[in-house]
Amino acid sequence: PRDTVDVVIVGSGGAGFSAAVSAHDNGAKVILIEKEPVIGGNAKLAAGGMNAAWIDQQKAKDIKDSPELMYKDTMKGGRDLNDPALVEILTSHSKGSVDWMTQMGADLNDVGRMGGASVNRSHRPTGGAGVGAHVVQVLYDNAVKRNIDLRMNTRGIEVLKTDDGKVKGILVKGMYKGYYWVKADAVVLATGGFAKNNDRVASLDPKLKGFISTNQPGAVGDGLDVAENAGGALKDMQYIQAHPTLSVKGGVMVTEAVRGNGAILVNREGKRFVNEITTRDKASAAILGQTGKSAFLIFDDSVRKSLSKIDKYIGLGVAPSADSLVKLGEMEGIDGKALTETVARYNSLVTSGKDSDFERPNLPRALNEGNYYAIEVTPGVHHTMGGVMIDTKAEVVNAKKQVIPGLYGAGEVTGGVHGANRLGGNAISDIITFGRLAGEEAAKYSKKN
Ligand code: ADP
């Protein structure tokens, strides 16, 4: 081997960095490898928030939440196909994970609403700006502070095992160094999902053939093959999530928080057609059912002011505005008269406090301040729920649920946490909690071996 360490982490997203920092803090010598020239994976792109219950920021705002309620919401969102033991970890550790990140310097003080959640539990930086970029930056800074050996342009190719089936290292390919192997007692796979690999996506769910994707280029699923070749079983591969709101003009994902903070969805006919904060699968299907297979997020300046991320969309030119709904309709090809009636009707529902049209559970504010905005959106492939099977110690298991000694998995590369459908805000929670757990378990395991 070229190097000898205790733990090798594969992938530099939120799960990989969490695992690296936690393995290090549990006494392990660590190498973190990343096949792309940039760190952060998809985690860096996450815009919504980090779900957690029940933490001080919520208490301060008198939001009544609990790990039990988060558990219930997560199972319901995943159509009860989630692995209950993993959801139990996700929800009971969520507070500890926010505290851990906060101790490392993260600002997760803003609390917002995401689809499928009974209460506001999505924690994000003050002002609501991109949680993923922030979390990755904090983890990266902490990895640097600890002198963790981070190797870019280095792909994990094959997990190497002893004759009796224990992990003994990993074969990697560096862009300049070529192939070499690193000796290690434990390997943590944190390689993310495969949403960017449309051939693989469409082979599992033909309805998604040709869909655009929100993911970064590395999200093609080669880590799943590494896991499978090492004996790991894959599960739930057919469950692939389309994010309901990708901007048609710019291809950027428009965070669910825009709806959570009050935007409505209308079709070209100027009418609402769905509870805007339903789960992602239902919202996607509803949008694809409209004329032109797209819809418009409509909001005003009060919503814009409530979420700084919206200024980014405006800056990107994907959220045109006008001082009247009729003008906005003319610009965007929406029936302006119907749109005016729809917004008036919606505002009256906000006043009454109950959405008797579509049963939307939160009605944060009327849409009647300043300019109006429209973002045309369509669903794109966003997250792959399936992946390698793990147990409650983040150990990778085979089809018979037997542990592969020394092999761990965390984050989107794993299957089971989210069942058939992931709730917004649960990805960041998942990668921090399970990344941290995998790092800790891998470090402990390497000490024993
Ligand atoms: P998660 O959200 O689970 O942390 P991300 O998508 O954020 O997942 O990060 C996964 C990272 O792993 C990406 O940066 C991706 O480029 C990297 N990666 C994927 N496959 C490999 C591999 N075989 N070797 C090294 N890095 C990989």
Side-chain angles (χ1 to χ4, degrees), residues 116-143:
S118 303
V119 297
N120 290 24
R121 71 162 68 94
S122 207
H123 301 267
R124 54 201 186 190
T126 308
V131 68
H134 177 63
V135 159
V136 166
Q137 186 65 46
V138 167
L139 288 165
Y140 172 76
D141 291 345
N142 276 274

Side-chain angles (χ1 to χ4, degrees), residues 147-210:
N147 279 319
I148 288 173
D149 184 343
L150 169 61
R151 301 190 186 179
M152 305 304 297
N153 296 306
T154 305
R155 179 188 297 268
I157 305 279
E158 190 188 348
V159 173
L160 305 171
K161 299 203 280 188
T162 59
D163 292 340
D164 55 353
K166 288 183 181 164
V167 168
K168 69 169 182 190
I170 185 166
L171 175 68
V172 308
K173 185 176 184 233
M175 191 186 248
Y176 308 108
K177 292 181 183 163
Y179 288 94
Y180 62 99
W181 77 284
V182 178
K183 189 167 183 291
D185 301 319
V187 168
V188 179
L189 296 173
T191 50
F194 61 97
K196 198 71 176 182
N197 184 342
N198 193 256
D199 287 343
R200 193 162 191 169
V201 164
S203 75
L204 292 156
D205 185 348
K207 289 193 302 297
L208 302 177
K209 188 163 176 51

Side-chain angles (χ1 to χ4, degrees), residues 232-270:
L234 302 186
K235 69 178 288 187
D236 295 346
M237 291 294 287
Q238 71 278 27
Y239 300 130
I240 296 170
Q241 184 174 67
H243 191 280
T245 59
L246 242 73
S247 155
V248 171
K249 286 201 169 85
V252 289
M253 193 194 85
V254 181
T255 174
E256 213 163 303
V258 177
R259 282 171 283 144
N261 282 22
I264 57 170
L265 271 172
V266 304
N267 55 24
R268 289 197 176 276
E269 291 73 31

Side-chain angles (χ1 to χ4, degrees), residues 110 192 206 245 259 266 294 296 299 394:
D110 191 52
T245 59
R259 282 171 283 144
V266 304
S294 69
F296 296 85
F299 54 92

Side-chain angles (χ1 to χ4, degrees), residues 10-11 13-15 34-36 41-43 154 156 190-192 216 222 411-412 431:
V10 190
E34 165 59 55
K35 69 177 175 178
E36 297 289 318
N42 281 321
T154 305
T191 50
Q216 57 97 13
D222 47 326
E412 194 176 348
I431 62 185

